[in-house]
Amino acid sequence: MATINAVKGFKDILPDEAGKWQYVEEKAREIFSGFGIREIRPPILEKTELFQRGIGAMTDIVEKEMYTFLDHGEEYLTLRPEATASVVRAYVEHSLFAADPAAKLFTIGPMFRRERPQKGRFRQFHQINVEYLGLDDPRVDGEIILLLHHFLQSMGIAGLQLEINSLGCPACRLPFRASILKFLEGKEEGLCEDCKRRLNANPLRILDCKEEKCHKISAPAPRLLDFLCRECDDHFAGVRAALDGFSLAYTINPRMVRGLDYYTKTAFEVTMEPAGAQNAVAGGGRYNGLVSELGGPDIAGIGFAIGMERLISLLPAADETFRSFPHLFVAALGSKAVENAYHLCNRLRMKGVWVEMDYAGKSLKSQMKRADKLCCRYVLILGEKELIDKQAALRDMETGTQETINIEGWEDTLLTKLKTR
Ligand code: HAM
């Protein structure tokens, strides 16, 4: 019968890789707890309207990349392409702001975008998301960027490049919009179809277009940074001062727009030398209008998401570092010994010791070979003679030395030995 493979762009995380994922997740939980960030787990399926309104109907994600379906003829649902809209939806739906608008939240899980699969780009990928709500001070922007940097650095990732920009607020975008539309007058024909269509609704998108011809046209375009209103300008200065205070190196990239429409003021991305902006390992920014856009009060927000596949591909530690191995192999010979070994193994397993044994009646030689292949540190040898003598042999596979242990009380002896090594 023909085999069935996974869907294109969807990837299995195999047991040998899982250790890296667990390491990254544990590190995230450990560091986030120090920053007082609590976990939230929104569902992966949402009403399509959430992303249309939240991310913006004219973004690439919403126009081209969402997995959307009509659920039994009733309503359109979408596999989440990102988590921010869902976190804010939950914050509003459960009035998490009622007692205290300030909330620091994180969520880890899969996202879905129907992009063209290529290196570092998948259709199901995973993100670590951090979202701060109800905190508008520029020092908060500095703190969240520091957190992102610290988290990536704590895993030994070198060559981090931080880029920041300010995308202003609706008040600064009005004059900017007029200016960029004027700049593009007579140049419309040279733009790609998407940009032509989006020109009037959101001219900022043109700066973000991946098409070479649009890039060329927009290169000398006016910069939003030059149109910031007083408040946004001060806020951006505050963010830069906070980063300087932490001695965090950054470059200002006035062309960074980010692919989602909810951003206001600070936007940032972390890329890796020499991967380039296409392969940002993390991105984020402030979204002060999103809570009210999704029906809540006027509450500020800022956050970031790290692409886990990209992060994991950058981990410097060797793959073996993340693998774990059995503590013990029990090589039993003869039915009575196998019976004893079987009970010993399961009692030790219930105490958290990883023990393996053979059930197929193999020779001692082939059991020793298997123990070696599994990289077991110790092998306990148990045959009919050992049962009569009430003593079993414990071999240290690393040093090649062997000792005898009394079968009476062996469970405790082994527990002490294996757990303290
Ligand atoms: P984003 O820039 O769309 O932002 O995605 C963040 C990160 O997710 C990217 O930098 C990248 O590492 C990873 N990523 C995105 N698409 C793919 C893909 N197709 N395959 C593999 N990795 C991918 C957001 O999603 C915002 N929600 C971030 C945010 C949180 N802003 C505020 N709060």
Side-chain angles (χ1 to χ4, degrees), residues 289-308:
L290 186 58
V291 179
S292 57
E293 184 63 42
L294 295 178
D298 183 16
I299 288 177
I302 181 168
F304 64 76
I306 302 168
M308 290 182 77

Side-chain angles (χ1 to χ4, degrees), residues 91-382:
Y91 176 77
V92 172
E93 183 172 340
H94 303 286
S95 302
L96 297 187
F97 49 81
D100 178 5
K104 300 200 250 179
L105 306 169
F106 81 89
T107 194
I108 302 176
M111 311 293 151
F112 305 85
R113 296 184 194 173
R114 202 177 189 290
E115 295 187 82
R116 205 160 57 81
Q118 50 186 284
K119 193 171 178 291
R121 203 169 281 277
F122 306 96
R123 289 181 169 179
Q124 177 180 323
F125 59 98
H126 299 75
Q127 283 184 345
I128 297 174
N129 262 262
V130 171
E131 312 291 354
Y132 279 21
L133 291 143
L135 298 159
D136 199 19
D137 194 286
R139 280 171 294 201
V140 173
D141 305 38
E143 178 184 310
I144 212 166
I145 295 173
L146 173 77
L147 160 67
L148 170 61
H149 194 268
H150 169 62
F151 173 61
L152 295 172
Q153 233 181 17
S154 73
M155 282 170 293
I157 295 178
L160 297 172
Q161 306 279 312
L162 170 64
E163 291 191 349
I164 62 167
N165 191 19
S166 175
L167 298 175
C169 65
C172 1
R173 288 207 201 151
L174 262 180
F176 171 71
R177 189 186 132 90
S179 162
I180 197 164
L181 284 177
K182 191 154 190 305
F183 167 83
L184 289 168
E185 257 172 31
K187 302 186 182 79
E188 296 91 336
E189 276 316 300
L191 297 172
C192 73
E193 291 310 308
D194 278 348
C195 285
K196 274 186 207 158
R197 202 164 33 83
R198 294 168 178 171
L199 189 59
N200 280 304
N202 189 356
L204 254 186
R205 291 258 69 87
I206 292 157
L207 299 178
D208 191 42
C209 183
K210 289 164 192 125
E211 293 273 338
E212 185 59 32
K213 56 183 178 181
C214 301
H215 208 78
K216 264 198 185 134
I217 291 177
S218 67
R223 304 166 355 141
L224 179 48
L225 271 185
D226 298 326
F227 289 81
L228 293 186
C229 65
R230 182 66 189 265
E231 193 201 316
C232 289
D233 202 34
D234 286 349
H235 193 275
F236 194 44
V239 177
R240 294 192 315 267
L243 296 178
D244 293 339
F246 294 130
S247 302
L248 269 185
Y250 58 87
T251 48
I252 297 173
N253 177 0
R255 291 187 61 93
M256 187 215 299
V257 175
R258 310 269 307 122
L260 308 103
D261 277 353
Y262 47 60
Y263 291 114
T264 53
K265 297 184 179 167
T266 318
F268 53 93
E269 272 179 1
V270 174
T271 54
M272 302 301 304
E273 186 118 76
Q278 279 295 346
N279 273 327
V281 65
R286 189 163 271 292
Y287 46 86
N288 285 357
L290 186 58
V291 179
S292 57
E293 184 63 42
L294 295 178
D298 183 16
I299 288 177
I302 181 168
F304 64 76
I306 302 168
M308 290 182 77
E309 283 77 4
R310 293 184 193 175
L311 167 60
I312 283 167
S313 75
L314 297 168
L315 288 180
D319 284 4
E320 283 68 49
T321 324
F322 303 99
R323 283 189 56 192
S324 45
F325 304 101
H327 299 100
L328 177 72
F329 190 94
V330 183
L333 294 158
S335 57
K336 239 183 160 173
V338 167
E339 188 64 19
N340 273 276
Y342 176 63
H343 285 282
L344 174 69
C345 282
N346 284 301
R347 282 198 306 272
L348 286 172
R349 285 170 185 156
M350 287 190 284
K351 300 245 163 82
V353 179
W354 181 4
V355 197
E356 291 297 336
M357 67 172 282
D358 165 63
Y359 299 97
K362 297 248 174 71
S363 68
L364 180 62
K365 196 174 161 205
S366 80
Q367 291 196 51
M368 293 305 283
K369 250 191 181 159
R370 172 122 198 276
D372 201 39
K373 199 170 161 201
L374 291 173
C375 302
C376 300
R377 170 74 192 270
Y378 291 97
V379 179
L380 185 73
I381 301 162
L382 187 67

